[in-house]
Amino acid sequence: MKAFNLQSIRFRISAVILAGVVCSSLLLQYLWVPRVTNLFVEASERELTRDIEILSDGILPFLLSNQIGAVYETLETVENRYDNWVQLNLISATEEQLYPRRLEEVPSGPNLITENISIEFQGQNYGKLTVIADLGPVIDKLQGEIVRMALIGFGIVTMTLIAISVLVDRLVTRRLILVADAADEMADGNFDVSLPEGRDEIGQLADHFHAMRRRIQDQTETLNVAWKRAETALDARSRFLATMSHEIRTPLNGIIPTAELLAETELSEEQRQKVDIILTSGKAMTSIVDDILDVAMLENGKLVLQRQEFSPEAICAEVFDILRYSAEVKGLELVKSCEISPDLMCWGDANRLRQVLINLFGNAVKFTKQGSIALKASVEDAGQGRVKLFFDVSDTGIGIQKDALDRIFNRFEQVNGDITRQFGGSGLGLSIVKSLMDAMGGSVSVESEVGAGSTFKLELELEKSTKATKAVRSRYPTPKAVADDTVGADRSALIVDDNEVNLTVASKMLARFGFDVDLANSGLTALSKAGKKKYDLIFMDMHMPEMDGLVATLRIREGNGPNAKAKIVGLSASVQTEDVEKCHAAGMNDFLPKPLRAERLQAFLAEWEEENAA
Ligand code: ADP
């Protein structure tokens, strides 16, 4: 049942009827009834004047002949004939009372009319005749009759209007409501609703509506099919991208560490140059694969932000350290101005914020040939235990044309082909930055002038942490974190991986630090080896046939085996947050992404050494 609607046609017609009845009543009472009464009184006065003139003419001969008895009889007869005459009075010229014999008190009242006439003959006065008539009963009767007639009129008009209102309700309002309800249902995707029928205008409207509904239904079905296809295609594309990036990472896991190991051997100048090329290209490829993986994740909504306590100041320092080398190689001046206190701890996804800053800072280095690049950070209190962080990454590089400023945040968009040819790049970085900032509830903007440089500005509001905790460890190695070459002396490590290349590369990398390395090419072999010997470190690949690294870890942790409490580090080319979380849930202590890079392993071992020393 619909709520009472003041705008409805039904209500409006009822209101008009009511207003009409009220106005007519007021008109009747204050205008029509008084007017009719006045007309009646005027007519009665005229009639009384005529009557009294006839009467005076009638009694004149008796007065002339002094027949007072005849005068009396005539007046009495006439007075009795007129019901509404309340007094008839005749006095002689000498003021003598002739009729009635004794004058009664003069009556008074609202509806009395009085008429006088002097009875004269040939200039001589013979008396004065006065009549007082009471119009009250007749006026009451007349007004009653008017009201009765008016009520009958009102009744007829009201009934007619009510009938019109009911008809409008049946023929128009209810049927229009049906059309409106059908439109509502259609908006909710329900096309199976009844519509009013008929050959009148509303029936025609319903027919047009029905035709429109059929067209919309057809189009919606077509759209749904296209949408499902697009969704499936997008899903397939994202899965393909994720799988491909995993598949590309696996061989990279062989190429980069092997090249790194090769670089540490004695090489001729020419050989060193070639190894450097392999390393630079491999690293560039890893970064592209990382970007593609992020895009795939953002596209299918799989991005899960972590909630961890971190120090924004530490993130700035790390980003600065990570890119310092590449900027210095290009001879660029580096400026860092961080106005954020090292004590400020916030809740948020530190890794994603770091990734955004590295991306912007990396672009600043890439697109600047000379001059400086600067990282400026500041904080503002946002109230209610929250802070607003501001980061400006500016450079004195090539700048960006005005018309390209909006485009560059779109996926695969670059300013133009010349720049791409000169500086390289996939056009994914800034789109990832924008998506990550959106996901974190922040924003990114850019100001730039061609030839003068660019400034990328980040704004991010985060919850403040009250505890002073240690900042989360960076997924990125910093130059500070370098492990001692002898960190593995007198220590043993087990490497578990179903890929022979990975096993060889990892064992060589660990052997370099003095570890006694054992290898297992399956989860089952790892279980059996871990059951017999205690290891200081176990590197466990996540994806393996038969028994994967997660199950193998769970089994090693069960019971009182020699490695129930060993440090187990997950290895995987799948570096999505959910994969990392799975490793932790299975009981792994840490996670390192593949391809395993020498500097990343070094950073990890440095921290491990620190933990052992503590
Ligand atoms: P790419 O991998 O091509 O660098 P990005 O999404 O990171 O992709 O950047 C898109 C484009 O925006 C770049 O190709 C470049 O033209 C422009 N751009 C980004 N950062 C800068 C900068 N600091 N200075 C000048 N141009 C920039």
Side-chain angles (χ1 to χ4, degrees):
M1 175 103 179
K2 293 246 160 190
F4 187 67
N5 181 3
L6 292 180
Q7 301 292 323
S8 69
I9 295 177
R10 201 185 312 176
F11 174 78
R12 288 184 195 186
I13 289 183
S14 308
V16 169
I17 293 173
L18 199 68
V21 169
V22 171
C23 287
S24 307
S25 312
L26 292 175
L27 276 176
L28 188 74
Q29 189 176 348
Y30 293 106
L31 228 69
W32 198 35
V33 171
R35 171 121 185 86
V36 169
T37 309
N38 277 347
L39 287 175
F40 172 74
V41 171
E42 279 167 28
S44 299
E45 280 171 349
R46 274 196 305 275
E47 198 179 337
L48 195 61
T49 310
R50 215 173 43 244
D51 286 349
I52 201 170
E53 277 170 4
I54 293 169
L55 188 57
S56 77
D57 288 348
I59 61 170
L60 181 64
F62 299 127
L63 285 173
L64 288 175
S65 56
N66 209 16
Q67 295 180 55
I68 299 305
V71 170
Y72 194 91
E73 264 173 41
T74 308
L75 290 180
E76 193 178 42
T77 311
V78 173
E79 189 182 17
N80 287 339
R81 203 178 296 153
Y82 288 95
D83 288 344
N84 61 337
W85 286 14
V86 287
Q87 195 174 67
L88 179 63
N89 184 29
L90 176 67
I91 50 169
S92 69
T94 55
E95 301 276 322
E96 185 190 347
Q97 180 68 34
L98 297 179
Y99 182 87
R101 292 208 172 84
R102 217 180 57 237
L103 184 65
E104 288 157 24
E105 198 184 327
V106 179
S108 65
N111 294 314
L112 297 180
I113 51 172
T114 307
E115 281 301 322
N116 301 301
I117 191 164
S118 291
I119 306 168
E120 288 175 358
F121 185 69
Q122 291 179 344
Q124 194 178 335
N125 187 359
Y126 288 90
K128 186 180 165 198
L129 191 60
T130 304
V131 179
I132 300 175
D134 183 5
L135 299 181
V138 187
I139 287 177
D140 287 349
K141 218 166 151 190
L142 178 75
Q143 289 184 344
E145 196 58 29
I146 292 172
V147 170
R148 214 171 7 260
M149 291 306 292
L151 283 178
I152 292 172
F154 283 158
I156 293 171
V157 171
T158 310
M159 295 302 282
T160 312
L161 289 176
I162 289 173
I164 291 173
S165 163
V166 170
L167 267 180
V168 168
D169 185 47
R170 290 261 160 87
L171 294 176
V172 181
T173 315
R174 284 194 201 180
R175 295 163 80 210
L176 281 179
I177 288 174
L178 265 184
V179 178
D181 286 349
D184 271 358
E185 289 286 329
M186 260 171 64
D188 292 342
N190 178 15
F191 291 93
D192 192 18
V193 280
S194 58
L195 282 169
E197 287 170 3
R199 306 189 64 171
D200 56 5
E201 289 85 341
I202 298 205
Q204 284 174 17
L205 171 74
D207 286 347
H208 292 309
F209 191 87
H210 179 63
M212 182 186 80
R213 176 174 66 175
R214 261 210 318 267
R215 274 204 301 279
I216 294 180
Q217 192 170 8
D218 289 350
Q219 281 171 359
T220 309
E221 272 160 21
T222 317
L223 271 177
N224 278 344
V225 172
W227 179 260
K228 279 210 178 84
R229 268 197 213 134
E231 255 184 352
T232 318
L234 191 67
D235 203 42
R237 190 177 78 158
S238 301
R239 265 185 287 121
F240 172 77
L241 287 177
T243 315
M244 280 312 288
S245 60
H246 176 83
E247 290 304 309
I248 296 169
R249 266 170 176 278
T250 309
L252 280 174
N253 193 25
I255 297 168
I256 300 174
T258 310
E260 280 172 344
L261 288 170
L262 198 59
E264 282 175 18
T265 59
E266 243 177 64
L267 299 170
S268 70
E269 192 48 38
E270 197 191 337
Q271 285 170 328
R272 182 159 304 282
Q273 274 174 7
K274 285 180 180 156
V275 170
D276 279 349
I277 291 171
I278 296 174
L279 268 175
T280 322
S281 313
K283 285 176 186 171
M285 204 159 162
T286 311
S287 130
I288 293 171
V289 170
D290 282 347
D291 280 356
I292 293 176
L293 198 62
D294 277 341
V295 167
M297 205 158 57
L298 287 163
E299 263 183 1
N300 61 18
K302 284 223 171 125
L303 177 85
V304 182
L305 289 174
Q306 288 182 340
R307 186 176 147 80
Q308 52 202 184
E309 282 173 307
F310 72 95
S311 145
E313 189 274 338
I315 298 285
C316 280
E318 280 175 26
V319 172
F320 207 73
D321 283 343
I322 291 163
L323 287 152
R324 181 197 300 268
Y325 177 71
S326 39
E328 280 172 359
V329 166
K330 288 182 84 174
L332 300 173
E333 187 196 343
L334 272 150
V335 184
K336 182 175 143 208
S337 126
C338 182
E339 293 162 14
I340 303 177
S341 155
D343 296 333
L344 176 73
M345 297 294 293
C346 295
W347 284 103
D349 193 328
N351 289 327
R352 291 304 183 182
L353 176 60
R354 186 186 299 108
Q355 180 183 352
V356 165
L357 284 169
I358 288 177
N359 215 312
L360 296 181
F361 217 59
N363 273 353
V365 175
K366 179 160 119 183
F367 294 106
T368 308
K369 286 184 183 149
Q370 59 192 33
S372 62
I373 53 175
L375 173 63
K376 189 173 161 224
S378 59
V379 65
E380 220 175 59
D381 192 76
Q384 294 174 329
R386 300 176 71 81
V387 282
K388 229 178 192 175
L389 302 174
F390 300 92
F391 300 94
D392 284 7
V393 178
S394 30
D395 61 58
T396 56
I398 60 170
I400 303 162
Q401 291 156 19
K402 285 242 159 349
D403 62 334
L405 285 178
D406 288 335
R407 273 194 291 125
I408 53 172
F409 291 104
N410 296 340
R411 214 156 278 166
F412 309 115
E413 281 285 0
Q414 295 173 316
V415 173
N416 63 44
D418 282 351
I419 295 178
T420 313
R421 272 188 293 282
Q422 200 182 339
F423 295 92
S426 59
L428 288 176
L430 288 181
S431 81
I432 294 171
V433 164
K434 168 111 181 49
S435 303
L436 288 178
M437 287 308 290
D438 286 348
M440 291 191 284
S443 65
V444 55
S445 59
V446 59
E447 288 165 10
S448 186
E449 205 178 305
V450 175
S454 317
T455 300
F456 285 82
K457 288 170 179 285
L458 299 179
E459 246 188 76
L460 181 63
E461 196 180 303
L462 293 176
E463 193 187 324
K464 236 185 332 185
S465 157
T466 40
K467 273 194 288 170
T469 19
K470 203 172 131 226
V472 294
R473 188 167 63 79
S474 164
R475 275 167 54 195
Y476 299 85
T478 65
K480 283 185 268 177
V482 176
D484 199 337
D485 274 359
T486 57
V487 67
D490 301 328
R491 282 173 168 155
S492 59
L494 173 66
I495 308 169
V496 189
D497 200 313
D498 59 320
N499 183 305
E500 286 301 327
V501 177
N502 289 349
L503 274 182
T504 317
V505 170
S507 79
K508 293 235 160 75
M509 285 168 88
L510 282 166
R512 201 189 135 251
F513 291 97
F515 280 97
D516 169 21
V517 183
D518 274 356
L519 304 177
N521 61 3
S522 73
L524 284 170
T525 320
L527 264 189
S528 109
K529 292 207 171 181
K532 291 183 200 134
K533 178 177 167 185
K534 177 167 174 15
Y535 293 100
D536 296 290
L537 273 176
I538 298 177
F539 291 93
M540 180 72 77
D541 185 22
M542 210 175 138
H543 300 288
M544 287 182 292
E546 288 176 28
M547 181 187 283
D548 67 17
L550 302 175
V551 178
T553 305
L554 280 170
R555 292 278 178 80
I556 292 173
R557 292 276 184 240
E558 280 168 9
N560 294 323
N563 292 294
K565 298 220 158 47
K567 173 120 179 165
I568 303 181
V569 183
L571 290 178
S572 178
S574 306
V575 290
Q576 300 187 10
T577 313
E578 57 189 36
D579 297 315
V580 180
E581 278 168 1
K582 272 189 209 156
C583 289
H584 284 297
M588 296 184 188
N589 307 86
D590 221 321
F591 179 88
L592 284 175
K594 282 186 188 175
L596 192 57
R597 301 259 299 274
E599 47 191 0
R600 204 173 273 162
L601 181 65
Q602 259 196 352
F604 166 76
L605 290 175
E607 199 175 285
W608 180 63
E609 205 177 4
E610 239 178 75
E611 272 171 30
N612 286 341

